[in-house]
């Protein structure tokens, strides 16, 4: 999950956003949450064995949980 979050943060968007469905909007919103968690991991994550430890505020923690549940 941490690697996915960092990859989402480092991704470059080319072009603007066109008309999108509700499902596409939700997917883009989830990707943005994941990318912000990637930023937190990149800037202050601490490797701990096979895991990464990072301090998140309650909003970021909720976004991480939401992203994890959506990714199954």
């Amino acid at each position: 999950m941490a690697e996915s979050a960092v990859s989402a943060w480092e991704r470059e968007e080319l072009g603007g956003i066109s008309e999108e469905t509700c499902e596409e909007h939700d997917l883009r919103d989830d990707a943005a949450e994941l990318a912000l968690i990637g930023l937190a991991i990149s800037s202050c994550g601490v490797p701990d064995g096979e895991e990464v430890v990072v301090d998140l505020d309650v909003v970021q923690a909720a976004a991480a949980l939401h992203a994890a549940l959506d990714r199954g």
Side-chain angles (χ1 to χ4, degrees):
M1 179 62 101
E3 290 172 359
S4 295
V6 171
S7 293
W9 173 251
E10 293 175 346
R11 178 179 167 193
E12 290 188 35
E13 287 292 328
L14 304 174
I17 299 170
S18 60
E19 291 290 322
E20 59 188 9
T21 65
C22 289
E23 291 82 15
E24 291 169 330
H25 177 270
D26 291 344
L27 182 61
R28 188 170 49 80
D29 191 49
D30 289 346
E33 291 174 348
L34 188 61
L36 289 174
I37 294 165
L39 170 62
I41 292 168
S42 294
S43 61
C44 58
V46 178
D48 184 18
E50 292 186 18
E51 299 180 357
V52 176
V53 177
V54 64
D55 287 330
L56 300 175
D57 66 29
V58 69
V59 174
Q60 291 173 316
L65 179 59
H66 184 262
L69 293 175
D70 282 351
R71 294 183 62 94

